[in-house]
Amino acid sequence: MMKKATREQSKFHNKSLILNTIYNAKHISRADIARTTHLTRSTVSDTVSELIEEGLVAEIGYGQSAGGKPPVLLQVVDDARQIIGIDLASGEFRGALVNLRGEINERINIPIDEKSGDMALEFVYVLVEKLLAAATQPIMGIGIGAPGLMDSDEGVVLTAVNLDWQDLPLVDLLQERYDLPVYIANDSQVSALAESKFGAGDKSPNLLVVKISRGVGSGIVIDHQLYQGDKYGAGEIGHIKVEEDGELCRCGNYGCLETKISSRAIRKQAGQLLAADPDSILHEYVSPGTSVSLENVYAAYQAGDPAVTELIAAAGQDLGRSLAFIISVLNINQVIVAGSMSVFEDGLLNPALEVLRKSVLPNIAYDVQMGASVLGEEIVILGAAGLVLQHELGLL
């Protein structure tokens, strides 16, 4: 039998429902909240008074009268709280103070110089303390997007190869140190959360976000909710095998998608092109004695280097073949590509979509659309902030 909700659970549900209604409406009256939520006027009035007392909601003036007394309009106070959003999935640790609308108030980046293990953990502490010192409003909590496999419920980094973390209870460590709520999820998964609320996918109930940078992963949103799977590994497409007897992947297997389309893989393949073709346009952008950067590859791509264009198209085809499995199973129509590789836009996405549409049932593939993220390098930070909004206020 279903358990009856406790009074506190009901109160939190009503509060979240009312706050979401105000948040999404931008400004709305108490009467319209009651009509929208089907809650009693007394419940709405009491809850709104509580939200105003907490500083989360404010009265902003009067609406248009329908013949009687004009209604008082309410609005969420966007800067009532700040959230610490942290991205641990890049070559440097990135953090920001984010308001309730996903607007970034302060950014701090800390180079970690390939540090790992306990030394990397110390850099997390440094980043959090710098952000706390820069805060101008009460901190609601800390959200973290981290590479690897997470147990989000227990707050444990199960494995993060690049950081040399195994079974690290990161959430407990931070909560004990700073006495703040802390939430964590995989960086690709929080990227999907960011796109769902703050990006191009904010009108779509179902969404697939593929993040392609040094690693490859994806996040899945179903009915506006982040889907993580039974073991929190939903969306780990980077380690789907796409090439028999391919290159050794950092996961220990061979021929993974990550070895073909990640920024590291593209840089390596571009370096091979550079060595093999003395006439490559790449030579104009790569200084002698230096390794090829993704910026070099992108510059040569924009300049029309045919070999580089073919390289990016081949990566798109590999991506399309891998996405076909997910699209066939979940029938999600909107796919957004984020991460450093998203700069190639149509050069990557069009081949991917072409292969995908040839690999699944036409009726399923017909409505699939692919686009590049508009959130840039802040996508993980915004998604991490979204975790806090979701858990602390019931938003999203």
Side-chain angles (χ1 to χ4, degrees):
M1 294 179 62
M2 292 181 63
K3 293 183 179 179
K4 186 176 181 180
T6 66
R7 185 175 182 276
E8 284 302 314
Q9 288 171 331
S10 296
K11 185 177 179 181
F12 180 78
H13 170 77
N14 291 341
K15 187 175 182 179
S16 298
L17 182 59
I18 291 169
L19 187 58
N20 267 287
T21 302
I22 301 171
Y23 188 90
N24 292 324
K26 302 298 189 292
H27 48 76
I28 190 171
S29 69
R30 289 171 174 83
D32 284 338
I33 293 171
R35 280 190 285 269
T36 301
T37 62
H38 304 292
L39 295 172
T40 65
R41 292 201 173 202
S42 62
T43 296
V44 170
S45 179
D46 290 346
T47 304
V48 166
S49 295
E50 184 179 335
L51 290 169
I52 290 174
E53 186 176 343
E54 293 175 7
L56 292 170
V57 168
E59 296 179 340
I60 59 168
Y62 294 96
Q64 189 171 1
S65 172
K69 186 178 178 181
V72 176
L73 297 180
L74 303 164
Q75 186 178 65
V76 167
V77 180
D78 297 344
D79 294 313
R81 302 286 190 276
Q82 288 178 315
I83 300 163
I84 292 178
I86 292 177
D87 174 6
L88 303 181
S90 304
E92 59 184 0
F93 286 174
R94 300 171 178 168
L97 294 169
V98 184
N99 78 357
L100 301 183
R101 288 284 175 191
E103 297 168 345
I104 291 180
N105 303 140
E106 179 75 25
R107 299 174 183 82
I108 296 176
N109 297 347
I110 297 181
I112 62 171
D113 302 322
E114 304 294 330
K115 297 294 190 303
S116 62
D118 290 342
M119 295 186 70
L121 180 59
E122 289 299 324
F123 278 108
V124 176
Y125 295 148
V126 170
L127 180 57
V128 171
E129 284 157 17
K130 284 180 177 290
L131 289 165
L132 287 172
T136 57
Q137 295 294 335
I139 298 295
M140 179 175 291
I142 301 171
I144 301 171
L149 191 61
M150 311 290 126
D151 181 335
S152 295
D153 289 340
E154 297 298 326
V156 175
V157 181
L158 300 175
T159 177
V161 176
N162 287 348
L163 298 174
D164 192 25
W165 287 347
Q166 300 285 333
D167 298 321
L168 179 71
L170 185 57
V171 167
D172 283 349
L173 291 172
L174 293 175
Q175 285 182 162
E176 290 171 7
R177 192 178 181 106
Y178 302 111
D179 194 26
L180 286 168
V182 182
Y183 304 96
I184 191 169
N186 171 269
D187 62 296
S188 296
Q189 293 175 347
V190 300
S191 295
L193 196 60
E195 284 291 347
S196 178
K197 185 57 189 176
F198 304 119
D202 66 339
K203 300 296 188 295
S204 302
N206 305 318
L207 179 67
L208 174 65
V209 174
V210 185
K211 184 170 177 282
I212 314 174
S213 296
R214 295 195 306 162
V216 178
S218 70
I220 302 166
V221 171
I222 297 177
D223 195 20
H224 300 290
Q225 297 293 319
L226 181 63
Y227 177 72
Q228 293 182 282
D230 291 337
K231 294 291 185 180
Y232 314 99
E236 275 289 352
I237 66 169
H239 301 289
I240 294 175
K241 178 173 282 194
V242 295
E243 183 180 26
E244 286 295 332
D245 302 320
E247 291 190 21
L248 176 65
C249 180
R250 57 187 180 143
C251 74
N253 292 328
Y254 291 84
C256 294
L257 181 64
E258 192 168 294
T259 68
K260 301 283 286 182
I261 73 169
S262 67
S263 62
R264 284 190 283 195
I266 295 299
R267 288 172 54 204
K268 181 178 180 179
Q269 294 170 52
Q272 294 168 346
L273 285 175
L274 190 70
D277 185 1
D279 297 322
S280 172
I281 295 176
L282 264 173
H283 286 281
E284 297 179 17
Y285 302 101
V286 182
S287 302
T290 62
S291 58
V292 180
S293 69
L294 193 64
E295 289 76 15
N296 300 150
V297 179
Y298 183 59
Y301 169 80
Q302 285 188 306
D305 187 314
V308 171
T309 300
E310 185 177 340
L311 175 66
I312 300 304
Q317 291 164 2
D318 283 327
L319 174 62
R321 278 187 283 272
S322 299
L323 290 182
F325 294 102
I326 300 179
I327 299 303
S328 293
V329 172
L330 297 179
N331 192 194
I332 291 176
N333 286 336
Q334 186 163 9
V335 180
I336 296 174
V337 175
S340 57
M341 286 293 294
S342 66
V343 297
F344 293 99
E345 295 186 330
D346 289 348
L348 180 73
L349 303 184
N350 287 345
L353 189 56
E354 182 179 354
V355 168
L356 187 154
R357 285 179 169 164
K358 291 178 180 178
S359 304
V360 302
L361 284 172
N363 285 347
I364 293 177
Y366 180 79
D367 291 325
V368 174
Q369 301 293 323
M370 295 185 71
S373 172
V374 298
L375 298 180
E377 66 178 19
E378 295 167 345
I379 187 169
V380 175
I381 286 173
L382 292 175
L387 281 177
V388 179
L389 285 172
Q390 185 178 58
H391 287 281
E392 290 298 304
L393 295 182
L395 294 177
L396 304 180

